[in-house]
Amino acid sequence: LDKTDKAVVVKIDTSGGESHGLNLDKTDKENLVVMKIGDYGLIREYNKTASLAAVKVGDRISKVNGVGGTAKELMAKIGAKAPMEIEFEHCIEKQINFEKKGRALGLSLIMNDK
């Protein structure tokens, strides 16, 4: 995932039982990516007034309460019923097209966000 220079830090409090309302891609062990923002939840409420700093589908959660970690570690932190700060990084989607013209590509693709 390529990231932009912009990070969005959102403060929410789930201690009262409220949901953050995010559907997250948990298949990548390193990146926790927003797949959907639910119709209800604290992030939807935040986005109503956030304009340019809104959380978007495709954003990556990079830190919770100022601490990074693996997707599993971050998931555990945002699953807690507590006040928290979640840092989202806006990512850039890239599309690359290849013309094979009947031949093998002979290509290995390795992606790294560093």
Side-chain angles (χ1 to χ4, degrees):
L1 298 172
D2 287 337
K3 62 182 181 177
T4 66
D5 293 338
K6 297 180 182 179
V8 174
V9 178
V10 179
K11 294 179 182 183
I12 61 172
D13 186 352
T14 58
S15 59
E18 300 90 343
S19 169
H20 51 66
L22 297 174
N23 183 337
L24 301 165
D25 179 1
K26 301 171 211 124
T27 60
D28 184 333
K29 292 180 182 181
E30 296 302 317
N31 296 295
L32 194 55
V33 179
V34 176
M35 299 301 291
K36 180 180 178 185
I37 300 169
D39 293 334
Y40 303 97
L42 296 171
I43 299 298
R44 171 72 64 189
E45 290 302 311
Y46 165 82
N47 275 352
K48 287 181 181 178
T49 59
S51 67
L52 296 176
V55 176
K56 303 171 187 172
V57 170
D59 284 357
R60 179 176 81 100
I61 295 176
S62 57
K63 295 179 184 174
V64 178
N65 296 328
V67 180
T70 65
K72 185 177 181 178
E73 292 165 342
L74 293 171
M75 190 69 196
K77 290 177 185 180
I78 66 167
K81 300 294 182 198
M84 65 187 78
E85 284 187 3
I86 305 172
E87 183 175 307
F88 296 88
E89 292 178 344
H90 294 315
C91 295
I92 301 168
E93 183 177 324
K94 294 182 180 181
Q95 182 174 340
I96 301 170
N97 298 310
F98 296 97
E99 284 190 41
K100 289 176 49 174
K101 297 183 181 180
R103 299 173 292 181
L105 284 178
L107 174 74
S108 296
L109 181 62
I110 299 172
M111 297 188 65
N112 188 339
D113 68 339
K114 295 180 180 175

mmCIF file of all heavy atoms in Angstrom, residues 64-90:
data_model
loop_
_atom_site.group_PDB
_atom_site.id
_atom_site.type_symbol
_atom_site.label_atom_id
_atom_site.label_comp_id
_atom_site.label_asym_id
_atom_site.label_seq_id
_atom_site.Cartn_x
_atom_site.Cartn_y
_atom_site.Cartn_z
ATOM 1 N N VAL A 64 -2.943 2.779 16.992
ATOM 2 C CA VAL A 64 -4.037 2.958 17.941
ATOM 3 C C VAL A 64 -3.404 3.432 19.240
ATOM 4 O O VAL A 64 -2.466 2.806 19.748
ATOM 5 C CB VAL A 64 -4.836 1.653 18.156
ATOM 6 C CG1 VAL A 64 -5.933 1.860 19.189
ATOM 7 C CG2 VAL A 64 -5.438 1.157 16.839
ATOM 8 N N ASN A 65 -3.887 4.558 19.743
ATOM 9 C CA ASN A 65 -3.323 5.194 20.943
ATOM 10 C C ASN A 65 -1.825 5.440 20.804
ATOM 11 O O ASN A 65 -1.056 5.245 21.742
ATOM 12 C CB ASN A 65 -3.644 4.382 22.200
ATOM 13 C CG ASN A 65 -5.135 4.333 22.460
ATOM 14 O OD1 ASN A 65 -5.858 5.273 22.153
ATOM 15 N ND2 ASN A 65 -5.603 3.226 22.998
ATOM 16 N N GLY A 66 -1.418 5.836 19.587
ATOM 17 C CA GLY A 66 -0.030 6.204 19.332
ATOM 18 C C GLY A 66 0.922 5.043 19.122
ATOM 19 O O GLY A 66 2.117 5.241 18.955
ATOM 20 N N VAL A 67 0.409 3.812 19.115
ATOM 21 C CA VAL A 67 1.262 2.631 18.989
ATOM 22 C C VAL A 67 0.866 1.827 17.749
ATOM 23 O O VAL A 67 -0.304 1.509 17.561
ATOM 24 C CB VAL A 67 1.150 1.738 20.245
ATOM 25 C CG1 VAL A 67 2.039 0.510 20.124
ATOM 26 C CG2 VAL A 67 1.491 2.525 21.503
ATOM 27 N N GLY A 68 1.853 1.504 16.910
ATOM 28 C CA GLY A 68 1.616 0.672 15.735
ATOM 29 C C GLY A 68 1.651 -0.801 16.102
ATOM 30 O O GLY A 68 1.789 -1.164 17.272
ATOM 31 N N GLY A 69 1.543 -1.646 15.104
ATOM 32 C CA GLY A 69 1.596 -3.084 15.339
ATOM 33 C C GLY A 69 1.118 -3.839 14.126
ATOM 34 O O GLY A 69 0.830 -3.258 13.074
ATOM 35 N N THR A 70 1.027 -5.144 14.262
ATOM 36 C CA THR A 70 0.499 -5.988 13.195
ATOM 37 C C THR A 70 -1.008 -5.766 13.104
ATOM 38 O O THR A 70 -1.620 -5.175 14.006
ATOM 39 C CB THR A 70 0.769 -7.473 13.473
ATOM 40 O OG1 THR A 70 0.034 -7.865 14.649
ATOM 41 C CG2 THR A 70 2.255 -7.757 13.654
ATOM 42 N N ALA A 71 -1.601 -6.257 12.048
ATOM 43 C CA ALA A 71 -3.050 -6.126 11.889
ATOM 44 C C ALA A 71 -3.779 -6.758 13.071
ATOM 45 O O ALA A 71 -4.751 -6.192 13.588
ATOM 46 C CB ALA A 71 -3.490 -6.765 10.572
ATOM 47 N N LYS A 72 -3.307 -7.901 13.517
ATOM 48 C CA LYS A 72 -3.943 -8.600 14.647
ATOM 49 C C LYS A 72 -3.846 -7.771 15.926
ATOM 50 O O LYS A 72 -4.819 -7.653 16.673
ATOM 51 C CB LYS A 72 -3.279 -9.960 14.841
ATOM 52 C CG LYS A 72 -3.925 -10.821 15.888
ATOM 53 C CD LYS A 72 -3.249 -12.186 15.950
ATOM 54 C CE LYS A 72 -3.898 -13.070 16.984
ATOM 55 N NZ LYS A 72 -3.282 -14.397 17.030
ATOM 56 N N GLU A 73 -2.685 -7.169 16.181
ATOM 57 C CA GLU A 73 -2.501 -6.345 17.381
ATOM 58 C C GLU A 73 -3.381 -5.102 17.333
ATOM 59 O O GLU A 73 -4.017 -4.735 18.333
ATOM 60 C CB GLU A 73 -1.032 -5.948 17.519
ATOM 61 C CG GLU A 73 -0.122 -7.117 17.838
ATOM 62 C CD GLU A 73 1.357 -6.814 17.628
ATOM 63 O OE1 GLU A 73 1.692 -5.832 16.921
ATOM 64 O OE2 GLU A 73 2.180 -7.567 18.174
ATOM 65 N N LEU A 74 -3.441 -4.453 16.168
ATOM 66 C CA LEU A 74 -4.277 -3.260 16.024
ATOM 67 C C LEU A 74 -5.756 -3.606 16.153
ATOM 68 O O LEU A 74 -6.536 -2.866 16.747
ATOM 69 C CB LEU A 74 -3.994 -2.570 14.692
ATOM 70 C CG LEU A 74 -2.600 -1.962 14.550
ATOM 71 C CD1 LEU A 74 -2.361 -1.512 13.111
ATOM 72 C CD2 LEU A 74 -2.392 -0.822 15.522
ATOM 73 N N MET A 75 -6.148 -4.753 15.600
ATOM 74 C CA MET A 75 -7.538 -5.202 15.682
ATOM 75 C C MET A 75 -7.947 -5.400 17.141
ATOM 76 O O MET A 75 -9.048 -5.014 17.540
ATOM 77 C CB MET A 75 -7.709 -6.492 14.880
ATOM 78 C CG MET A 75 -9.122 -6.919 14.703
ATOM 79 S SD MET A 75 -9.981 -5.770 13.623
ATOM 80 C CE MET A 75 -11.652 -6.225 14.003
ATOM 81 N N ALA A 76 -7.054 -5.995 17.926
ATOM 82 C CA ALA A 76 -7.352 -6.205 19.347
ATOM 83 C C ALA A 76 -7.539 -4.864 20.063
ATOM 84 O O ALA A 76 -8.425 -4.714 20.907
ATOM 85 C CB ALA A 76 -6.235 -7.010 20.011
ATOM 86 N N LYS A 77 -6.728 -3.881 19.702
ATOM 87 C CA LYS A 77 -6.813 -2.569 20.351
ATOM 88 C C LYS A 77 -8.102 -1.843 19.998
ATOM 89 O O LYS A 77 -8.728 -1.231 20.866
ATOM 90 C CB LYS A 77 -5.609 -1.705 19.967
ATOM 91 C CG LYS A 77 -4.317 -2.192 20.582
ATOM 92 C CD LYS A 77 -3.152 -1.347 20.112
ATOM 93 C CE LYS A 77 -1.845 -1.921 20.636
ATOM 94 N NZ LYS A 77 -0.691 -1.141 20.209
ATOM 95 N N ILE A 78 -8.517 -1.895 18.723
ATOM 96 C CA ILE A 78 -9.744 -1.170 18.374
ATOM 97 C C ILE A 78 -10.999 -1.948 18.768
ATOM 98 O O ILE A 78 -12.081 -1.390 18.781
ATOM 99 C CB ILE A 78 -9.807 -0.765 16.882
ATOM 100 C CG1 ILE A 78 -9.907 -1.971 15.986
ATOM 101 C CG2 ILE A 78 -8.663 0.126 16.503
ATOM 102 C CD1 ILE A 78 -10.274 -1.620 14.583
ATOM 103 N N GLY A 79 -10.828 -3.211 19.137
ATOM 104 C CA GLY A 79 -11.954 -4.004 19.627
ATOM 105 C C GLY A 79 -12.247 -3.775 21.097
ATOM 106 O O GLY A 79 -13.276 -4.201 21.611
ATOM 107 N N ALA A 80 -11.356 -3.088 21.784
ATOM 108 C CA ALA A 80 -11.541 -2.817 23.212
ATOM 109 C C ALA A 80 -12.674 -1.816 23.423
ATOM 110 O O ALA A 80 -12.913 -0.955 22.584
ATOM 111 C CB ALA A 80 -10.245 -2.273 23.804
ATOM 112 N N LYS A 81 -13.354 -1.950 24.521
ATOM 113 C CA LYS A 81 -14.404 -1.002 24.902
ATOM 114 C C LYS A 81 -13.755 0.077 25.754
ATOM 115 O O LYS A 81 -13.670 -0.036 26.973
ATOM 116 C CB LYS A 81 -15.525 -1.711 25.664
ATOM 117 C CG LYS A 81 -16.211 -2.807 24.869
ATOM 118 C CD LYS A 81 -16.950 -2.232 23.692
ATOM 119 C CE LYS A 81 -17.670 -3.335 22.925
ATOM 120 N NZ LYS A 81 -18.027 -2.917 21.598
ATOM 121 N N ALA A 82 -13.231 1.126 25.087
ATOM 122 C CA ALA A 82 -12.470 2.162 25.778
ATOM 123 C C ALA A 82 -12.337 3.393 24.883
ATOM 124 O O ALA A 82 -12.529 3.303 23.673
ATOM 125 C CB ALA A 82 -11.078 1.623 26.114
ATOM 126 N N PRO A 83 -11.956 4.530 25.459
ATOM 127 C CA PRO A 83 -11.602 5.680 24.631
ATOM 128 C C PRO A 83 -10.312 5.369 23.867
ATOM 129 O O PRO A 83 -9.437 4.675 24.394
ATOM 130 C CB PRO A 83 -11.357 6.806 25.642
ATOM 131 C CG PRO A 83 -11.929 6.329 26.926
ATOM 132 C CD PRO A 83 -11.901 4.840 26.885
ATOM 133 N N MET A 84 -10.205 5.848 22.633
ATOM 134 C CA MET A 84 -9.000 5.565 21.846
ATOM 135 C C MET A 84 -8.805 6.596 20.756
ATOM 136 O O MET A 84 -9.743 7.286 20.370
ATOM 137 C CB MET A 84 -9.078 4.171 21.241
ATOM 138 C CG MET A 84 -10.192 3.980 20.222
ATOM 139 S SD MET A 84 -10.372 2.266 19.689
ATOM 140 C CE MET A 84 -11.241 1.568 21.085
ATOM 141 N N GLU A 85 -7.557 6.670 20.303
ATOM 142 C CA GLU A 85 -7.191 7.472 19.138
ATOM 143 C C GLU A 85 -6.754 6.497 18.057
ATOM 144 O O GLU A 85 -5.846 5.696 18.277
ATOM 145 C CB GLU A 85 -6.021 8.405 19.448
ATOM 146 C CG GLU A 85 -6.373 9.601 20.247
ATOM 147 C CD GLU A 85 -5.205 10.570 20.375
ATOM 148 O OE1 GLU A 85 -4.126 10.332 19.785
ATOM 149 O OE2 GLU A 85 -5.373 11.567 21.073
ATOM 150 N N ILE A 86 -7.393 6.574 16.901
ATOM 151 C CA ILE A 86 -7.028 5.701 15.779
ATOM 152 C C ILE A 86 -6.425 6.573 14.687
ATOM 153 O O ILE A 86 -7.033 7.558 14.266
ATOM 154 C CB ILE A 86 -8.256 4.954 15.224
ATOM 155 C CG1 ILE A 86 -8.962 4.177 16.332
ATOM 156 C CG2 ILE A 86 -7.835 4.016 14.088
ATOM 157 C CD1 ILE A 86 -10.282 3.561 15.904
ATOM 158 N N GLU A 87 -5.224 6.210 14.239
ATOM 159 C CA GLU A 87 -4.566 6.941 13.156
ATOM 160 C C GLU A 87 -4.771 6.181 11.851
ATOM 161 O O GLU A 87 -4.421 5.006 11.747
ATOM 162 C CB GLU A 87 -3.074 7.105 13.431
ATOM 163 C CG GLU A 87 -2.379 7.924 12.346
ATOM 164 C CD GLU A 87 -0.931 8.198 12.683
ATOM 165 O OE1 GLU A 87 -0.669 8.718 13.785
ATOM 166 O OE2 GLU A 87 -0.072 7.900 11.833
ATOM 167 N N PHE A 88 -5.362 6.870 10.880
ATOM 168 C CA PHE A 88 -5.613 6.305 9.555
ATOM 169 C C PHE A 88 -4.681 6.969 8.554
ATOM 170 O O PHE A 88 -4.508 8.182 8.571
ATOM 171 C CB PHE A 88 -7.058 6.590 9.114
ATOM 172 C CG PHE A 88 -8.110 5.937 9.955
ATOM 173 C CD1 PHE A 88 -8.602 6.572 11.082
ATOM 174 C CD2 PHE A 88 -8.625 4.695 9.620
ATOM 175 C CE1 PHE A 88 -9.586 5.993 11.862
ATOM 176 C CE2 PHE A 88 -9.611 4.104 10.394
ATOM 177 C CZ PHE A 88 -10.093 4.754 11.522
ATOM 178 N N GLU A 89 -4.098 6.185 7.671
ATOM 179 C CA GLU A 89 -3.292 6.723 6.574
ATOM 180 C C GLU A 89 -4.092 6.560 5.289
ATOM 181 O O GLU A 89 -4.568 5.472 4.982
ATOM 182 C CB GLU A 89 -1.974 5.957 6.445
ATOM 183 C CG GLU A 89 -1.041 6.170 7.608
ATOM 184 C CD GLU A 89 0.231 5.363 7.481
ATOM 185 O OE1 GLU A 89 0.296 4.411 6.672
ATOM 186 O OE2 GLU A 89 1.172 5.682 8.216
ATOM 187 N N HIS A 90 -4.252 7.664 4.556
ATOM 188 C CA HIS A 90 -4.903 7.595 3.254
ATOM 189 C C HIS A 90 -3.945 6.911 2.287
ATOM 190 O O HIS A 90 -2.767 7.251 2.219
ATOM 191 C CB HIS A 90 -5.244 8.984 2.727
ATOM 192 C CG HIS A 90 -6.279 9.698 3.537
ATOM 193 N ND1 HIS A 90 -7.437 9.107 3.977
ATOM 194 C CD2 HIS A 90 -6.331 10.973 3.973
ATOM 195 C CE1 HIS A 90 -8.149 9.983 4.643
ATOM 196 N NE2 HIS A 90 -7.494 11.130 4.666
#
